[in-house]
Amino acid sequence: MTDETGPWLVVGLGNPGREYAGNRHNVGFMVADLLAGRLGGKFGRHRRAVAEVAEVRLGFGGPKLVLVKPLTYMNLSGGPVVGLAQFYKVPPARVVAVHDELDIGYGQLRVKCGGGEGGHNGLRSMSKSLGTKDYVRVRFGIGRPPGRQDPADYVLSNFGAVERKELDFLVDRAADVVESVVIRGVEPTQNLYHGG
């Protein structure tokens, strides 16, 4: 049983540096930035982890969210995540990873708790560091690469012009999904958002 008043750790997965800012692989950072802005938070470097952190509340007197952007590269994200989970005393059931997902069409959002990592190095690192796969994932569909493009090159490329037209709306919707997970739980959020 988790502490109902304890904080949530919301981890936006991405790579640090301006050269990666618009990449498909950095959609987790985009959602974390939007949540911080929406909830009046400001990211700052954490003294105990290689990460930027913003502490916010979801509504007046609502649950505390610790928004996290690991400053390691994607495949090392687990270290800062587990360090912050320990620092804030957050159990894995209250950790939410927001990440890009190749196996879902562009713009589709899916929520799940546990399961495989689907080849995602950030999730693999988190699962290894946390010692469990039983944390929440908000999966932002980026679709498969066109033709024979290497998936690694695809995720490290920027969103295309057509995709960018909808990107702000979709990032905003992904932030709504994160808030719904915290307020309503995984299954009610799946019922609300998996229809489209």
Side-chain angles (χ1 to χ4, degrees):
M1 192 78 189
T2 60
D3 174 7
E4 292 301 315
T5 61
W8 287 75
L9 203 67
V10 177
V11 182
L13 290 175
N15 285 313
R18 292 166 59 129
E19 66 272 28
Y20 298 105
N23 289 181
R24 290 175 176 89
H25 222 21
N26 272 41
V27 75
F29 275 18
M30 295 174 197
V31 174
D33 285 335
L34 189 137
L35 280 166
R38 179 189 283 184
L39 300 172
K42 186 173 169 140
F43 278 100
R45 188 74 186 259
H46 197 272
R47 68 184 187 278
R48 298 250 177 117
V50 183
E52 288 187 347
V53 171
E55 296 179 20
V56 296
R57 287 228 174 252
L58 194 51
F60 182 73
K64 179 179 180 179
L65 305 184
V66 180
L67 306 174
V68 179
K69 295 191 299 183
L71 296 178
T72 56
Y73 287 93
M74 184 72 77
N75 60 346
L76 299 174
S77 298
V81 171
V82 76
L84 291 166
Q86 291 168 350
F87 181 81
Y88 289 101
K89 297 176 176 54
V90 178
R94 292 174 82 91
V95 174
V96 179
V98 184
H99 65 92
D100 59 301
E101 178 63 62
L102 281 165
D103 293 328
I104 300 174
Y106 177 71
Q108 294 181 27
L109 298 166
R110 296 289 181 263
V111 179
K112 72 175 186 174
C113 187
E117 290 98 4
H120 196 289
N121 289 333
L123 294 178
R124 188 177 295 130
S125 178
M126 281 183 61
S127 296
K128 183 177 179 186
S129 295
L130 289 168
T132 183
K133 295 179 181 183
D134 294 331
Y135 53 90
V136 179
R137 296 98 184 274
V138 173
R139 306 157 68 206
F140 187 108
I142 61 169
R144 300 297 302 176
R148 295 176 180 235
Q149 185 178 7
D150 181 4
D153 292 336
Y154 180 69
V155 300
L156 292 175
S157 64
N158 288 346
F159 286 99
V162 173
E163 293 169 320
R164 283 195 304 269
K165 289 179 182 176
E166 294 183 279
L167 187 59
D168 288 344
F169 167 77
L170 295 170
V171 168
D172 191 70
R173 189 164 169 86
D176 293 345
V177 170
V178 171
E179 290 184 8
S180 179
V181 165
V182 172
I183 294 167
R184 296 179 183 93
V186 170
E187 191 173 330
T189 299
Q190 289 171 330
N191 293 336
L192 274 173
Y193 289 94
H194 283 201

